């Protein structure tokens, strides 16, 4: 029983730590994009496209953490 609890705790820590970086990154990306849109509204399409692309790359890191957490629960 304790082994299952440790695996669950390890998965929770992996997911929690793995979500901190992307969460901060996405917040910074969105904030800077809104600042850029406020300064230059005509460039909205380019800024929006680049922001979405950068958010997708940042979110991929969180998905890696999710995969590691799933592996810890189901494989280890």
């Amino acid at each position: 029983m304790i082994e299952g609890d440790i695996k669950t705790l390890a998965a929770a820590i992996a997911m929690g730590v793995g979500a901190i970086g992307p969460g901060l990154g996405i917040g910074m990306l969105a904030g800077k994009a809104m600042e850029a849109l406020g300064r230059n509204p005509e460039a909205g399409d380019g800024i929006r496209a680049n922001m979405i692309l950068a958010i997708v790359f940042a979110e991929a890191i969180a998905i890696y953490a999710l995969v590691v957490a799933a592996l810890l629960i189901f494989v280890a």
Side-chain angles (χ1 to χ4, degrees):
M1 187 61 149
I2 293 178
E3 181 180 328
D5 293 339
I6 292 174
K7 287 180 7 179
T8 304
L9 180 63
I13 291 172
M15 193 61 224
V17 171
I20 290 173
L24 291 173
I26 290 170
M28 290 170 52
L29 282 166
K32 292 296 182 177
M34 294 302 112
E35 184 178 320
L37 283 172
R39 292 177 186 267
N40 190 5
E42 296 84 24
D45 292 337
I47 293 170
R48 190 176 306 108
N50 288 330
M51 179 190 72
I52 290 171
L53 186 62
I55 286 174
V56 166
F57 288 139
E59 192 66 32
I61 297 170
I63 293 171
Y64 292 145
L66 179 65
V67 169
V68 168
L71 286 173
L72 284 171
I73 290 176
F74 296 116
V75 176

